[in-house]
Amino acid sequence: MKKQQNTDNLIAQNRKANHNYFIEETLEAGMVLTGTEIKSIRNRRVNIKDGYVRVRRGEAWLENVHISEYKEGNQFNQEPTRNRKLLLHKKQIAHLLGIQQEKGLTIVPLKIYLKRGVAKVLIGVGRGKKNYDKRETIRRRDQERDMQRLLKVR
């Protein structure tokens, strides 16, 4: 059930996630943010490369995602790497808890985007790739690129 996102609203994308993991499932979630954080997100001052999702005490948390301080925020700014609560249904949280407990699976943020003015995060369930899987992905991508070049030249 992938939905195509409008690239105008795309704020941040985790390209390393597709390189390091086989993404098996995706899920859209809202985030609990303060006023200065949403302003920083709208200014595209976000880094989700090292982020992950953890379920604790029946709540899903987005951890290690860096949202820079808003320049005009003064005392209202929050810590840039604080944990942020994700807004999900109870069944979705229970599903993520089962995934978290399963060995070899990781829950990572894939994209942060705006949807009707509200910040959303697309999280993915990923199974870690081995080094030979990564090399195979790179080899396949290079072959496709070469084929496109040859077709373009002709």
Side-chain angles (χ1 to χ4, degrees):
M1 290 194 186
K2 276 191 175 179
K3 296 180 181 178
Q4 292 293 334
Q5 297 301 324
N6 192 352
T7 57
D8 304 333
N9 298 330
L10 184 64
I11 302 299
Q13 187 172 6
N14 188 355
R15 293 185 178 148
K16 291 293 273 184
N18 287 323
H19 180 71
N20 293 332
Y21 303 101
F22 292 113
I23 303 300
E24 298 176 354
E25 179 182 347
T26 61
L27 189 64
E28 181 183 70
M31 293 185 287
V32 176
L33 300 170
T34 63
T36 56
E37 286 178 328
I38 189 64
K39 289 180 181 184
S40 290
I41 287 176
R42 287 184 179 135
N43 288 336
R44 291 171 165 49
R45 311 261 307 152
V46 182
N47 184 0
I48 61 174
K49 183 171 61 172
D50 299 326
Y52 58 94
V53 176
R54 181 174 288 165
V55 178
R56 290 186 309 229
R57 288 185 241 120
E59 296 176 339
W61 294 87
L62 183 63
E63 298 184 358
N64 208 20
V65 171
H66 189 277
I67 298 177
S68 298
E69 291 183 350
Y70 185 60
K71 190 169 44 173
E72 289 84 23
N74 294 333
Q75 74 220 26
F76 301 108
N77 279 327
Q78 299 289 327
E79 182 183 343
T81 57
R82 75 179 183 94
N83 299 339
R84 293 164 182 88
K85 187 176 176 182
L86 293 178
L87 303 173
L88 294 165
H89 295 286
K90 285 183 182 180
K91 287 183 180 180
Q92 292 173 329
I93 293 173
H95 178 67
L96 289 178
L97 180 62
I99 289 170
Q100 178 179 315
Q101 292 172 347
E102 189 175 331
K103 189 173 175 93
L105 291 180
T106 306
I107 308 166
V108 293
L110 301 175
K111 295 179 184 178
I112 292 180
Y113 52 91
L114 293 175
K115 185 175 184 180
R116 290 186 230 124
V118 178
K120 300 283 185 175
V121 61
L122 184 69
I123 57 177
V125 177
R127 185 172 304 276
K129 286 184 180 180
K130 305 283 189 223
N131 280 336
Y132 57 84
D133 291 329
K134 293 178 187 179
R135 286 192 300 267
E136 179 63 32
T137 303
I138 292 169
R139 186 178 305 119
R140 191 174 315 120
R141 186 183 63 218
D142 289 343
Q143 288 174 350
E144 289 175 7
R145 190 179 303 137
D146 292 340
M147 289 297 292
Q148 291 297 324
R149 283 185 195 144
L150 289 174
L151 292 175
K152 191 174 183 180
V153 170
R154 290 181 182 174

